[in-house]
Amino acid sequence: QVQLVESGGGLVQPGGSLRLSCATSGTIFGISTISWYRRAPGKESELVAVIFGGGTTNYADSVRGRFTISRDNAKDTVFLQMDSLKPEDTAVYYCNLRNKWSDVWGQGTQVTVCS
């Protein structure tokens, strides 16, 4: 059974940083595409960042230059480093794993940016 466990959310002031983690198990991590989505209150889900099995990355325009997605294939974990956080980054962040066998979501982690 594929499982994703997110961690690292919290409360931070504008301009601050957080690092989210998505630990996976139960599948072949190295060939999986891992994405971070977020959902803010009253808004639709937004794709924030994606990293493919080969390491190629892509970002939403709203976070490019501030967020960095990376993967540690030895630990089956993906990270989302979030710098220069803004109040509009406040949302529940979800990790998604996709490969030819699975399409799985984590439980989400709350990120709140306010002063």
Side-chain angles (χ1 to χ4, degrees):
Q1 181 179 1
V2 181
Q3 290 187 322
L4 308 181
V5 178
E6 297 127 329
S7 61
L11 174 65
V12 64
Q13 292 185 343
S17 298
L18 285 173
R19 188 174 84 153
L20 305 183
S21 299
C22 175
T24 76
S25 61
T27 190
I28 303 175
F29 179 80
I31 61 169
S32 301
T33 296
I34 313 295
S35 304
W36 284 98
Y37 288 77
R38 67 186 180 187
R39 178 175 291 172
K43 296 185 178 181
E44 295 185 355
S45 292
E46 176 187 19
L47 175 62
V48 175
V50 58
I51 185 164
F52 299 95
T56 302
T57 60
N58 201 7
Y59 299 90
D61 289 342
S62 58
V63 307
R64 187 173 287 112
R66 299 188 297 121
F67 291 10
T68 303
I69 190 170
S70 61
R71 64 194 298 155
D72 185 337
N73 287 342
K75 297 182 178 180
D76 292 356
T77 300
V78 167
F79 304 98
L80 184 67
Q81 177 67 41
M82 306 187 295
D83 299 317
S84 302
L85 283 161
K86 304 175 181 180
E88 51 263 44
D89 294 319
T90 295
V92 179
Y93 285 70
Y94 297 90
C95 178
N96 171 258
L97 178 149
R98 292 183 182 179
N99 57 36
K100 63 186 295 184
W101 305 281
S102 303
D103 184 350
V104 181
W105 293 86
Q107 81 284 359
T109 185
Q110 176 70 46
V111 171
T112 302
V113 184
C114 70
S115 54

